[in-house]
Structure formats: C-alpha cells, structure tokens
Amino acid sequence: MDAILDPILAAWRDRPGALLPVLHAVQDALGHVPAAAVPEIAAALNLSRAEVHGVISYYHHFRQEPPGRHVVRVCCAEACQAVGAEALAEHARTRTAESGVKVEPMYCLGLCACGPAVQVDEAELHAAVTPAKFDALLARLEAGQ
Amino acid sequence: MKATVYVPGDAAALALGADGVAQAIAAEAAVRGIALRLMRNGSRGMVWLEPLVEVATPQGRIAYGPVTVDAVASLFEAGFLSGAAHPLCLGETVQIPWLARQARCVTRRLGVVDPKSLADYIARGGGEGLRKARAMAPAEVVRAITDSGLRGRGGAAFPAGIKWRTVLETAAAQKYVVCNADEGDSGTFSDRMLMEGDPYCLLEGMAIAAHAVGATQGYIYVRSEYPQAIAALEAALAAAGDFLGGFRVDVRKGAGSYVCGEETALLESLEGRRGIVRAKPPLPAVAGLFGRPTLIHNVITLASVPDILAGGAAAYREQGTGRSRGTLPFQLAGNIRRGGLVELPFGHTLRELLYDYGGGSRSGRPLRAVQVGGPLGAYLPEAQFDTPLDYEAFAAIGGGLGHGGIVAFDDTVDMAKQARYAMKFCAVESCGKCTPCRIGSTRGVEVIDRIRAGDAGQITLLEDLCETMVYGSACAMGSMTPIPVLSALRHFPGDFA
Ligand SMILES: Cc1cc2nc3c(=O)[nH]c(=O)nc-3n(C[C@H](O)[C@H](O)[C@H](O)COP(=O)(O)O)c2cc1C
Ligand code: SF4
Ligand code: FES
C-alpha cells in the first residue's frame, strides 16, 4: 500500500485543503480507502485519525470496503423517477443479487432529459435504460467485457 | 477539402451512444477511403435528438439525428458528408425551430465550439470580455456587473454585483474566486453541459471576476458524478497558455454530498473537512475559503460574465422582465418528449416550455405535476402552468426557479410518494447541524408513511413539522424541503387520502 500512498501524499501534503484530493486518489487507485491507510494520511496532513475518518464516513462517495467487480449506479432522483427509475432499480437489485456486480442508488448524473440514467464503474454512461437494456448491460459486464 | 463531422462528446450524448457512432463513422470513412476530420463538440442541448451528428457544408452545419451505429453506412451512402437528404436529416442545425426560437446567450457556443481549442474559442468571440475587463479598473468591472442586473444562477438569485463589491472592498493579502459546480439538483444539467461544451467561457468568467475583486487563485468544485466535466476542464486548463494571466485555477472533485452545493459547506469541503454548513455571518465575501474574502458563484453566473463585459451591461439587462434580467438556460427533464436545454429570457410561461418545446409527456399521458427548481422546489399542478418563469412570479406562488430545472411527471405519479421522497432526501443529505432538519425530516418520512397508510389525522402534524423545519433550519436544505412537501399536499390532496 505504501507504494501507492507515498507518491500521493508527497504530491499533496503541502497543498491547502488536501484531504479530499488525497482520499480520491487513494480510492481511485485501490477501489476504496482502507482503514490501514488512515493513520498515514492523518500523519502526513497533520490531522487526527478521527478527523480523517470523519471525512471518509461523511461523504457518500468514499468506500471503506472494496466494491464488487463492477459498480452499477442507478439514478433514483426525481427526473429519473418520472420515467421509471424506481422499477429499474428494483429490477437491477433483483438481477444482481447473486452477482459480482454491485448495484447502488445515486442521485442525479445530469442526464435528466434522457433517464433513467445509469453509470458503470464511475465512467461509462447509459441513458433511457429499460429493464431489457439493463439485462444486456449486465450480461456484458458478467462476461467480463 | 476534408469534410468535418461533429459528434458530441457531451455526457448525455455519450449515454445515448455517441462514442459508438463516432467510431462507426471513422471506420466507415476508412473503408471508403475518405479522409475526414471528426470533432467532438459539446451538445446543442436537443437531448432527444442525441447523438446529433453534424456536417459542415457551405450552407452551414447540417444535422442528422438521432444517429445509431446501424444508420452510419446509409448516411455515407446518401452522401451526408455534403449535407444530402436522409430520413435522419434535420436540415440546417440553427434552423431547427426548437433551437432557432431560443435566445442562446450564455450557451451560444455550446455544440458549436471545439471545447478543447482555445483558438476556436477566441475565433468565436471568446476572450473579448476579458480583454476589455483588463483595460478597466476593478471597480468599473464591478459596476458593469451591478448594472447588468445579473443575479446568481445557483438558486438563491442574489444580485451578483453586491457580492463582487464586498469582495473588492474587503482588503486581504489573498482572495479567492470559487466556482460552485456541484449541480446536485435533479433535473439540472446546464452547468455540466457548459463545462463539457464550452469550458473556456467559464474560465474567462472566472478570470474577469478575479481581476475585478483582486483574486489570484480560483477553484472549481465539481461534483464527483461528473467525471466528463472534470476531464473537459482539466484539458482546457492544460491548454490555456497565458489566457488566464497570473490567475491560477484548480479543479477539485466533490464526493457525493448534496449539501456541499451550499456555499459554506462547499468551502468546508474545499478545506478538507466534512461538508457542514457554516454559520453566517461572516459572509464568504468577507471571510470565506481559508478565512479569506471569497467570491463564490455558480457556473452559469460566472459563464454569463464574459458577454456582459464584451457586449455591455445595458445589452444584457435589455432581456428579461422586472427584476429578473437576462436569460436563463432552463433544463427540461423527466417525463418529457423533447427534453434538453432551453435558454430564454425570463418571462416565458412554464406551459410554453412544457408543450411548445417539450411536446408534452414522453409517455403520451397527460402531464400532471411539474417540479421546478430542484429537490427543494415546488410541485405545480396544471392550473399553475401559466406562471411566468421569473424569480418574483415563482416566489409569489411559494416556489422558486432555483437553477432552472423543470421536471415533468405524467398522471401516474403518486404525489404523496414524491413528498415522502423529499423528506427522505433531506434526512439522508442533511449536514446534521440543525435538529429540525436532521430529525424533523426523518419524522416527516414516518408521518407521511402513516398518512399513506390511511391516517388522515397526521396531516396537521406534517404541517406543524414543516413549520418547525422552515423556522429552525440554518440553510435552505431544511427550510425549503417543506416546499415540495406542502405544495404536493396542497395541490394534490387526493393522493394523501
Ligand atoms: C442545500 C443546498 C444546495 C445547493 N446546491 C447548489 C449547487 O449545487 N450549485 C450552486 O451553484 N448553488 C447551490 N446552492 C446555492 C449556494 O449556496 C449559493 O447560493 C451559490 O453557490 C451562489 O452562487 P450564485 O450567486 O452564482 O448563485 C445550494 C444551496 C443549498 C442550501
Ligand atoms: S438546515 Fe440541514 S443542511 Fe442546512 S445547516 Fe441545518 S442541518 Fe445542515
Ligand atoms: S435525475 Fe437522474 S440523471 Fe438527473
């Protein structure tokens, strides 16, 4: 882990407001922010462990456990609700119950004119997602493509 | 001459398959031995036509859409590279009535300019505002903003000039300009589209603001849900050369907290802490980021600045109505047939947006309720669709325009469920500082559950709870959550029976 942490901390330790950028960099590299990283981050940024932990747990974005192989985030905010997001989210949860794909609700991707919207692994976007489109997406993810 | 083809790289276009279409076009061109220039522009905002592919012709840009991978071969066959007829052809882009009838000002370069090219930005009139501002004394620039009548586009609609003057007049060794790009409201995407499609416009607005208030460092706080916007800003900054002069801008990524859109919570977050709302005063303009005077504005507010300097305050204030001057890029979202970005001067009616632009519901069923202004905005019934879209008219009916998001629902919507969601959202996103917001919203969910289970006696309790939230909350999260709840109750009482 030090191999990952050291350069991140070296790049940020002297910059103002560095904690969020550091946590992002750690999570981007490891998929989550492991508890073992907290003391080193705290020491480098001159913060208490409790402060670092408080920030990690405050923000929905930061994970303390590794996610599944893939994370599929289904938008459940109002504009997507208006075009069936809740039914889609329910469908997605049922279909992935036994799968390495993790489904998480999220609140708006800025794709509100073409919902329901879905984001895969914080990158790939899908709009106007129907249950059938979701199944096709899932099949692709499970096939490792 | 090489043909130029435009395939938007905007997130909505990507979500609708634009990358696949771009690849298919490149591959088909290669097979046919045609050399072409493939440009990834922003989106024009006609989301229902995305991916909207354009081709440059001597007659202007010709649009085709929505283009699928399967349609690409037939487009080549028909000769779309010279703007030929095809079932997907929409004619000259700027003549498409949905677009032609708008007043594209702050979004006028969206989908037109190459977001990665400063030279293209300059060629399309960019940079003029900054050039003029630098030749002016800071106080003169502030005066122009005041005279323009510009009000904050992030939701609170506070007069921008007053903030600028406060930051200018507060002496400090270090001042900041912060761009609020947290855009957490459901139904809004104009900030995202602008950052992805015309990032230099935002940077220019920030540089003008920095000159006016005496700041040397800027931050753009972008929500983590917008990786494409972050990438577009980073790319623009990397290629900015000396466009920004001595003003340095850093992009910072949020972390999935709605309340971090509130300006003081955002500053806390930028400083590396939990996004807890600060007590006011002091105002951020006096003691903001790291305790220094800070000018904080929404993306659209800052992006409106270059034109005010370039074209003059008087020209800007000519548009609009009453105390709502200029234009607002509205965002038509939810259950709507032709959704997207509609920039208009204040004063048009909601009905025009919903039907003339939106074409009614996507489902084909009657529109029943519309939420204007994000999760803290009112739900309006059809009887209020003739309300003019200006700040005062919306305040008069107990709502707000917020960031200009308009979310349409058809007649299958259950308004008691929407009210429950508003409370639930507040409970999840509350920063926890005020009891009425943190606990009141959780109680609100329970009370609405009992009402939905048939206990009509709980309605008074819900109203009391809302009153407590309105008066006992330090920010709009807690004090405005009652707006969607009570408007749903008032206008759709049958759903609570
Ligand atoms: C809960 C809450 C969330 C907010 N979210 C945003 C947001 O995402 N974007 C934004 O520009 N303003 C948001 N605001 C408004 C900001 O507090 C502030 O008014 C704005 O950044 C000022 O910029 P403006 O003058 O350009 O509107 C929010 C306010 C509250 C209370
Ligand atoms: S109203 Fe809610 S979000 Fe706003 S400061 Fe109070 S607890 Fe925090
Ligand atoms: S509400 Fe789903 S993308 Fe905005």
Side-chain angles (χ1 to χ4, degrees):
Chain A
M1 195 172 62
D2 282 352
I4 285 166
L5 219 47
D6 288 347
I8 294 172
L9 292 174
W12 283 97
R13 68 188 331 146
D14 296 323
R15 294 173 65 180
L19 183 53
L20 263 76
V22 165
L23 295 175
H24 274 302
V26 172
Q27 178 156 309
D28 288 349
L30 299 172
H32 70 298
V33 184
V38 172
E40 266 184 82
I41 294 172
L45 302 183
N46 215 356
L47 298 166
S48 73
R49 291 180 196 192
E51 281 171 307
V52 175
H53 188 261
V55 167
I56 296 170
S57 55
Y58 181 81
Y59 291 96
H60 303 307
H61 181 83
F62 297 124
R63 286 192 197 89
Q64 291 166 271
E65 303 295 331
R69 206 148 46 89
H70 295 287
V71 180
V72 176
R73 301 162 92 201
V74 180
C75 175
C76 291
E78 291 92 331
C80 286
Q81 289 167 14
V83 286
E86 284 184 306
L88 176 69
E90 186 52 40
H91 173 87
R93 271 191 297 272
T94 318
R95 294 309 291 263
T96 52
E98 315 262 290
S99 133
V101 174
K102 186 169 163 55
V103 170
E104 288 177 353
M106 60 92 57
Y107 298 89
C108 196
L109 286 158
L111 306 176
C112 329
C114 49
V118 160
Q119 187 194 48
V120 181
D121 297 335
E122 283 171 47
E124 186 185 309
L125 298 169
H126 298 271
V129 181
T130 55
K133 265 176 98 171
F134 180 86
D135 290 347
L137 169 66
L138 186 63
R140 216 192 69 215
L141 292 176
E142 285 178 336
Q145 286 165 343
Chain B
M1 208 184 79
K2 260 198 215 175
T4 302
V5 178
Y6 302 83
V7 183
D10 171 271
L14 297 181
L16 290 160
D19 273 347
V21 168
Q23 282 158 18
I25 289 174
E28 187 71 25
V31 168
R32 292 170 185 256
I34 300 170
L36 53 77
R37 185 174 156 250
L38 195 62
M39 214 268 268
R40 305 306 299 269
N41 53 337
S43 166
R44 301 269 193 167
M46 297 179 281
V47 176
W48 84 100
L49 294 175
E50 293 290 358
L52 181 91
V53 173
E54 292 177 85
V55 185
T57 77
Q59 292 76 46
R61 286 196 198 171
I62 307 296
Y64 299 82
V67 175
T68 57
V69 169
D70 292 343
V72 167
S74 77
L75 281 169
F76 275 90
E77 211 51 52
F80 87 120
L81 290 180
S82 48
H86 182 278
L88 293 178
C89 184
L90 301 159
E92 195 188 342
T93 316
V94 292
Q95 300 294 340
I96 298 173
W98 199 90
L99 192 59
R101 282 163 42 215
Q102 299 189 28
R104 285 287 175 108
C105 297
V106 62
T107 63
R108 91 183 116 89
R109 273 185 225 92
L110 270 195
V112 178
V113 75
D114 177 352
K116 287 193 160 58
S117 166
L118 179 59
D120 197 27
Y121 177 70
I122 302 287
R124 295 177 192 281
E128 186 62 19
L130 181 56
R131 199 180 56 73
K132 284 197 175 160
R134 282 184 178 145
M136 291 159 72
E140 277 182 86
V141 179
V142 172
R143 166 62 83 77
I145 296 302
T146 308
D147 289 348
S148 73
L150 178 67
R151 291 164 70 180
R153 303 298 191 228
F158 189 79
I162 296 181
K163 276 199 206 176
W164 288 45
R165 202 179 58 212
T166 309
V167 181
L168 171 63
E169 290 174 355
T170 308
Q174 173 77 62
K175 299 181 189 180
Y176 298 101
V177 172
V178 173
C179 172
N180 185 341
D182 201 48
E183 196 166 66
D185 289 2
S186 164
T188 68
F189 43 81
S190 59
D191 295 350
R192 176 185 67 66
M193 288 187 63
L194 191 114
M195 290 186 282
E196 291 174 359
D198 194 10
Y200 284 110
C201 181
L202 171 59
L203 295 177
E204 183 182 349
M206 289 181 73
I208 294 170
H211 169 70
V213 302
T216 50
Q217 170 73 49
Y219 288 98
I220 310 177
Y221 184 93
V222 191
R223 62 199 300 253
S224 55
E225 291 84 348
Y226 284 178
Q228 288 80 10
I230 292 172
L233 291 170
E234 301 275 18
L237 279 168
D242 59 5
F243 180 59
L244 301 177
F247 178 56
R248 182 193 156 113
V249 177
D250 287 313
V251 177
R252 288 291 178 88
K253 187 165 149 184
S257 157
Y258 177 76
V259 79
C260 282
E262 195 282 335
E263 56 188 13
T264 63
L266 187 152
L267 297 175
E268 284 291 301
S269 188
L270 268 180
E271 291 184 19
R273 286 191 288 274
R274 296 179 298 150
I276 309 258
V277 173
R278 293 179 184 171
K280 281 192 219 173
L283 293 169
V286 175
L289 187 63
F290 304 114
R292 308 289 181 202
T294 302
L295 183 72
I296 176 162
H297 273 306
N298 172 256
V299 174
I300 299 295
T301 316
L302 288 164
S304 299
V305 166
D307 270 3
I308 293 173
L309 270 295
Y316 188 84
R317 55 170 318 122
E318 229 160 66
Q319 298 202 77
T321 175
R323 293 206 294 117
S324 305
R325 310 314 309 177
T327 59
L328 188 68
F330 294 96
Q331 301 122 92
L332 265 180
N335 198 328
I336 197 90
R337 204 148 67 88
R338 297 190 295 263
L341 191 80
V342 183
E343 183 174 356
L344 290 173
F346 293 94
H348 288 261
T349 68
L350 183 56
R351 191 178 299 278
E352 272 180 84
L353 259 95
L354 292 171
Y355 295 99
D356 297 355
Y357 287 93
S361 75
R362 197 202 291 174
S363 62
R365 304 182 64 98
L367 290 180
R368 180 160 183 254
V370 176
Q371 187 177 31
V372 179
L376 309 174
Y379 281 105
L380 312 185
E382 145 82 83
Q384 291 184 327
F385 287 0
D386 293 308
T387 309
L389 294 159
D390 74 68
Y391 294 124
E392 278 65 43
F394 265 72
I397 61 164
L401 283 185
H403 186 45
I406 296 177
V407 178
F409 293 81
D410 72 10
D411 63 350
T412 60
V413 68
D414 172 350
M415 294 307 296
K417 198 162 147 193
Q418 296 310 121
R420 182 189 195 277
Y421 173 81
M423 282 293 191
K424 177 83 192 167
F425 187 71
C426 182
V428 173
E429 297 296 335
S430 167
C431 83
K433 186 186 167 103
C434 326
T435 314
C437 172
R438 190 183 72 241
I439 308 288
S441 53
T442 304
R443 289 287 161 274
V445 173
E446 295 161 9
V447 170
I448 295 172
D449 280 342
R450 288 200 288 274
I451 295 170
R452 293 180 77 204
D455 186 353
Q458 299 276 311
I459 285 180
T460 323
L461 186 56
L462 179 61
E463 288 167 340
D464 289 348
L465 203 55
C466 283
E467 196 175 297
T468 311
M469 289 174 72
V470 170
Y471 294 105
S473 299
C475 87
M477 179 88 229
S479 69
M480 287 175 65
T481 289
I483 292 179
V485 175
L486 293 178
S487 57
L489 180 63
R490 185 171 317 121
H491 300 302
F492 306 93
D495 291 18
F496 291 77

